[in-house]
Each structure stands twice: as C-alpha cells, then as structure tokens.
Amino acid sequence: MSDNVIIKFENYTVEKITYLKNEEYDDRKESIGFPKIFINIVKSNKKNNKFNIILGAKYDIESNFPYILEVIIRGFFETSEELESDEEKLRVIISNGSAIMYPYLRALFSEMTSKSDFSPVILPTINFSSYVKKLHNDLNDFLIDSKYYKENE
C-alpha cells in the first residue's frame, strides 16, 4: 500500500438479494421511508489488517412497502500497517469502508425497485461518521466472529 493510503478497497460481492411482493401492503397506511440498515465487521484471524464489511438494507413487512426487499453486500478491505491500534483500524473500516460500499448498495436498491410497478427507491446519502455513532457506542459492537471472514476471490 502507498504511504498516504490508509484503507484499500479490493472488491465487493453480493451476498443476498430478496425481492418479494408484499401481500400485506396497504396503500392507505403510511410507509416507513428509510430502510433498516446494518453494518457488521469481520476481522481476519490470519492477517491483522484484513477485514470484511457486511452492509445491508432491508424493507420488511412492518415497513408497509409494496415489496419486501433485502440487499446484503460484502466488501473486502485492507488497512495500512501505519494504523497500529485495533480501535484505529475499526474506526477507519467502519466509517470509511461503509461510506465506500454504500453507493453499491444504493445502486442495487434503485435497480431492483426500478423494475416494479411502483416508484424506484433511491436511498438517501448517509454521513457514516455520525450514523455509526447512532447505531453503537462501542466500535466492537460491529464485530462479528472471525469464522465469517471470507477472502477476496
């Protein structure tokens, strides 16, 4: 990695796409406009500077949307050796890595919903530095077991 690069985005894969007609949709009721968004971090147990970000968004039955939609993507990242502490690496991965991946998630949502009988969903932009603080106070709460880590293929 070059001297000024603190995070390297290698690639992403689509882990899951679910798109179903919501039979319980009621157009007389208000719909929840913002989907449920989640972020998980998986750290490699072999290399201290390799991470996966699992980023997803979901409209479920409770959202009262015309469809039930869930998209989950996995990003492959490497942090610079200059970042020494685990907390520093996590902060960079969560804020910067999520911000790097979010446009891919937004594009998948828009593409899937543009093919329906309803208006396409365009997810709003997010300030991930602020958003992650709302989700969890402790950065370690984003971590999930390293057995879920995958190498970029």
Side-chain angles (χ1 to χ4, degrees):
M1 233 186 267
S2 72
D3 294 337
N4 297 330
V5 177
I6 60 170
I7 184 173
K8 179 183 172 191
F9 174 53
E10 296 174 350
N11 194 15
Y12 84 97
T13 60
V14 176
E15 296 282 302
K16 179 180 182 181
I17 293 180
T18 302
Y19 184 90
L20 302 167
K21 182 178 179 183
N22 184 357
E23 299 295 340
E24 297 182 30
Y25 172 65
D26 185 347
D27 62 357
R28 295 167 298 188
K29 290 183 181 176
E30 187 174 347
S31 296
I32 296 172
F34 197 74
K36 297 174 185 172
I37 294 181
F38 67 88
I39 305 165
N40 291 120
I41 307 298
V42 189
K43 186 177 176 182
S44 169
N45 57 4
K46 294 179 183 171
K47 289 192 172 183
N48 197 29
N49 67 330
K50 302 266 295 190
F51 296 86
N52 295 160
I53 294 180
I54 301 170
L55 181 65
K58 177 180 185 177
Y59 282 109
D60 53 20
I61 290 174
E62 292 81 34
S63 303
N64 192 42
F65 253 67
Y67 29 74
I68 297 166
L69 179 62
E70 182 177 23
V71 178
I72 301 172
I73 59 177
R74 178 186 299 262
F76 303 92
F77 291 88
E78 184 177 342
T79 58
S80 168
E81 297 294 338
E82 293 174 23
L83 301 174
E84 295 176 7
S85 75
D86 285 346
E87 183 177 337
E88 199 175 13
K89 290 175 187 174
L90 274 178
R91 183 170 282 107
V92 166
I93 285 293
I94 291 168
S95 294
N96 296 21
S98 298
I100 290 168
M101 288 184 55
Y102 188 65
Y104 297 100
L105 186 70
R106 286 181 79 207
L108 287 166
F109 249 78
S110 295
E111 187 174 333
M112 294 299 297
T113 58
S114 70
K115 299 181 183 352
S116 74
D117 296 335
F118 300 94
S119 298
V121 174
I122 300 172
L123 298 178
T125 57
I126 295 177
N127 176 339
F128 275 93
S129 294
S130 300
Y131 189 70
V132 296
K133 290 175 187 171
K134 289 180 188 176
L135 292 177
H136 297 295
N137 289 330
D138 185 353
L139 296 177
N140 288 309
D141 290 341
F142 290 98
L143 283 172
I144 60 174
D145 195 303
S146 63
K147 70 181 179 185
Y148 298 108
Y149 178 81
K150 292 182 182 178
E151 288 291 336
N152 184 20
E153 297 176 4

Coordinates of all heavy atoms in Angstrom, one line a residue, residues 67-99:
Y67 N -43.2 -3.9 -1.6 CA -42.4 -5.1 -1.7 C -41.5 -5.3 -0.5 O -41.3 -4.4 0.3 CB -41.5 -5.0 -3.0 CG -41.1 -3.6 -3.3 CD1 -40.1 -2.9 -2.6 CD2 -41.7 -3.0 -4.4 CE1 -39.8 -1.6 -2.9 CE2 -41.4 -1.7 -4.7 CZ -40.5 -1.0 -4.0 OH -40.2 0.3 -4.3
I68 N -41.1 -6.5 -0.3 CA -40.1 -6.8 0.8 C -38.8 -7.0 0.1 O -38.7 -7.7 -0.9 CB -40.5 -8.2 1.5 CG1 -41.9 -8.0 2.1 CG2 -39.5 -8.6 2.5 CD1 -42.6 -9.3 2.5
L69 N -37.9 -6.2 0.5 CA -36.6 -6.1 -0.2 C -35.5 -6.1 0.8 O -35.5 -5.4 1.8 CB -36.5 -4.8 -1.1 CG -35.3 -4.5 -1.9 CD1 -35.1 -5.6 -2.9 CD2 -35.4 -3.2 -2.6
E70 N -34.5 -7.0 0.5 CA -33.3 -7.0 1.3 C -32.1 -7.2 0.4 O -32.1 -8.1 -0.5 CB -33.3 -8.2 2.3 CG -32.1 -8.2 3.3 CD -32.2 -9.3 4.3 OE1 -33.0 -10.3 4.1 OE2 -31.6 -9.2 5.3
V71 N -31.1 -6.4 0.6 CA -29.8 -6.5 -0.1 C -28.7 -6.5 0.9 O -28.6 -5.7 1.8 CB -29.6 -5.3 -1.1 CG1 -28.3 -5.4 -1.8 CG2 -30.8 -5.3 -2.1
I72 N -27.8 -7.5 0.7 CA -26.6 -7.6 1.6 C -25.4 -7.8 0.7 O -25.4 -8.6 -0.2 CB -26.7 -8.8 2.6 CG1 -27.9 -8.7 3.4 CG2 -25.4 -8.9 3.4 CD1 -28.2 -10.0 4.3
I73 N -24.4 -6.9 1.0 CA -23.2 -7.0 0.2 C -22.0 -7.1 1.2 O -22.1 -6.7 2.3 CB -23.0 -5.8 -0.7 CG1 -22.9 -4.4 0.0 CG2 -24.0 -5.7 -1.8 CD1 -22.7 -3.2 -0.8
R74 N -20.9 -7.7 0.7 CA -19.7 -7.9 1.5 C -18.5 -7.2 0.8 O -18.3 -7.5 -0.4 CB -19.4 -9.4 1.6 CG -18.1 -9.7 2.4 CD -17.8 -11.2 2.4 NE -18.8 -11.9 3.0 CZ -18.8 -12.4 4.3 NH1 -17.8 -12.1 5.1 NH2 -19.8 -13.1 4.7
G75 N -17.8 -6.4 1.5 CA -16.7 -5.7 0.9 C -15.4 -6.2 1.5 O -15.3 -6.7 2.7
F76 N -14.3 -6.2 0.7 CA -13.0 -6.8 1.1 C -12.0 -5.6 1.2 O -11.8 -4.9 0.3 CB -12.5 -7.8 0.1 CG -13.5 -8.9 -0.1 CD1 -14.5 -8.8 -1.1 CD2 -13.5 -10.0 0.7 CE1 -15.4 -9.9 -1.3 CE2 -14.4 -11.0 0.5 CZ -15.3 -11.0 -0.5
F77 N -11.5 -5.4 2.4 CA -10.7 -4.3 2.7 C -9.4 -4.7 3.4 O -9.3 -5.7 4.1 CB -11.4 -3.3 3.7 CG -12.6 -2.6 3.1 CD1 -13.8 -3.2 3.1 CD2 -12.4 -1.4 2.5 CE1 -14.9 -2.5 2.5 CE2 -13.5 -0.7 1.9 CZ -14.7 -1.3 1.9
E78 N -8.4 -3.8 3.2 CA -7.1 -3.9 3.9 C -6.8 -2.5 4.4 O -6.9 -1.5 3.8 CB -6.1 -4.4 2.9 CG -4.7 -4.7 3.5 CD -3.7 -5.2 2.5 OE1 -4.2 -5.7 1.4 OE2 -2.5 -5.1 2.7
T79 N -6.3 -2.5 5.7 CA -5.9 -1.3 6.3 C -4.3 -1.1 6.2 O -3.6 -2.1 6.2 CB -6.3 -1.1 7.7 OG1 -5.8 -2.2 8.5 CG2 -7.8 -1.1 7.8
S80 N -3.9 0.1 6.3 CA -2.4 0.4 6.3 C -1.8 -0.2 7.5 O -2.4 -0.2 8.6 CB -2.2 1.9 6.1 OG -0.9 2.2 6.4
E81 N -0.5 -0.6 7.4 CA 0.3 -1.0 8.6 C 0.5 0.2 9.5 O 0.9 0.0 10.7 CB 1.6 -1.6 8.1 CG 1.4 -2.9 7.3 CD 0.8 -4.1 8.0 OE1 0.9 -4.1 9.3 OE2 0.3 -4.9 7.4
E82 N 0.4 1.4 9.0 CA 0.6 2.6 9.8 C -0.5 2.7 10.9 O -0.2 3.3 12.0 CB 0.5 3.8 9.0 CG 1.7 4.0 8.0 CD 1.5 5.2 7.1 OE1 0.8 6.1 7.4 OE2 2.1 5.1 6.0
L83 N -1.6 2.1 10.7 CA -2.7 2.1 11.7 C -2.3 1.0 12.7 O -2.4 -0.2 12.4 CB -4.1 1.8 11.1 CG -4.5 2.8 10.1 CD1 -5.9 2.4 9.5 CD2 -4.7 4.2 10.7
E84 N -1.9 1.4 13.9 CA -1.4 0.4 14.8 C -2.4 -0.2 15.7 O -2.4 -1.4 15.9 CB -0.3 1.1 15.7 CG 0.9 1.5 14.8 CD 2.0 2.2 15.6 OE1 1.8 2.3 16.9 OE2 2.9 2.7 15.0
S85 N -3.3 0.6 16.3 CA -4.3 0.0 17.3 C -5.5 -0.6 16.6 O -5.9 -0.1 15.5 CB -4.7 1.1 18.3 OG -5.6 2.0 17.7
D86 N -6.1 -1.6 17.2 CA -7.3 -2.2 16.6 C -8.4 -1.2 16.6 O -9.2 -1.2 15.7 CB -7.7 -3.4 17.5 CG -6.8 -4.6 17.2 OD1 -6.0 -4.6 16.2 OD2 -6.9 -5.6 18.0
E87 N -8.5 -0.3 17.6 CA -9.5 0.7 17.6 C -9.4 1.6 16.4 O -10.4 2.0 15.8 CB -9.5 1.5 18.9 CG -10.6 2.5 19.0 CD -10.7 3.2 20.3 OE1 -10.1 2.7 21.3 OE2 -11.2 4.3 20.3
E88 N -8.2 2.0 16.1 CA -7.9 2.9 15.0 C -8.4 2.2 13.7 O -9.0 2.8 12.8 CB -6.5 3.3 15.0 CG -6.1 4.5 14.2 CD -4.6 4.8 14.3 OE1 -3.8 4.0 14.8 OE2 -4.3 6.0 13.9
K89 N -8.0 1.0 13.5 CA -8.4 0.2 12.3 C -9.9 0.1 12.2 O -10.5 0.3 11.1 CB -7.7 -1.2 12.3 CG -6.3 -1.2 12.2 CD -5.7 -2.5 12.3 CE -4.2 -2.5 12.3 NZ -3.5 -3.7 12.6
L90 N -10.6 -0.2 13.3 CA -12.0 -0.4 13.3 C -12.7 0.9 12.9 O -13.6 1.0 12.1 CB -12.5 -0.8 14.7 CG -12.5 -2.3 14.9 CD1 -13.0 -2.6 16.3 CD2 -13.4 -3.0 13.9
R91 N -12.2 2.0 13.5 CA -12.8 3.3 13.2 C -12.7 3.7 11.7 O -13.7 4.1 11.1 CB -12.1 4.4 14.0 CG -12.8 5.8 13.8 CD -12.3 6.9 14.8 NE -12.9 6.7 16.1 CZ -12.3 6.2 17.2 NH1 -11.1 5.8 17.1 NH2 -13.0 6.0 18.3
V92 N -11.6 3.4 11.1 CA -11.3 3.7 9.7 C -12.2 2.7 8.8 O -12.9 3.1 7.9 CB -9.9 3.5 9.3 CG1 -9.7 3.4 7.8 CG2 -9.0 4.6 9.9
I93 N -12.2 1.4 9.2 CA -13.0 0.5 8.4 C -14.5 0.8 8.5 O -15.2 0.8 7.5 CB -12.8 -1.0 8.9 CG1 -11.4 -1.5 8.5 CG2 -13.8 -1.9 8.5 CD1 -11.3 -1.7 7.0
I94 N -15.0 1.1 9.7 CA -16.4 1.3 9.8 C -16.9 2.6 9.1 O -17.8 2.5 8.3 CB -16.8 1.3 11.3 CG1 -16.7 0.0 11.9 CG2 -18.3 1.9 11.5 CD1 -16.8 -0.1 13.5
S95 N -16.2 3.7 9.4 CA -16.6 4.9 8.8 C -16.3 5.0 7.3 O -17.2 5.2 6.4 CB -16.0 6.1 9.5 OG -16.5 6.2 10.8
N96 N -15.1 4.8 6.9 CA -14.6 5.0 5.5 C -15.1 3.8 4.7 O -15.6 4.0 3.6 CB -13.1 5.1 5.4 CG -12.6 6.4 6.1 OD1 -13.3 7.0 7.0 ND2 -11.4 6.8 5.8
G97 N -14.9 2.6 5.2 CA -15.3 1.4 4.4 C -16.8 1.4 4.1 O -17.2 1.1 3.0
S98 N -17.6 1.7 5.1 CA -19.1 1.7 4.9 C -19.4 2.8 3.9 O -20.3 2.6 3.0 CB -19.8 2.0 6.2 OG -19.6 1.0 7.1
A99 N -18.8 3.9 4.0 CA -19.1 5.0 3.0 C -18.6 4.6 1.6 O -19.3 5.0 0.6 CB -18.3 6.3 3.4

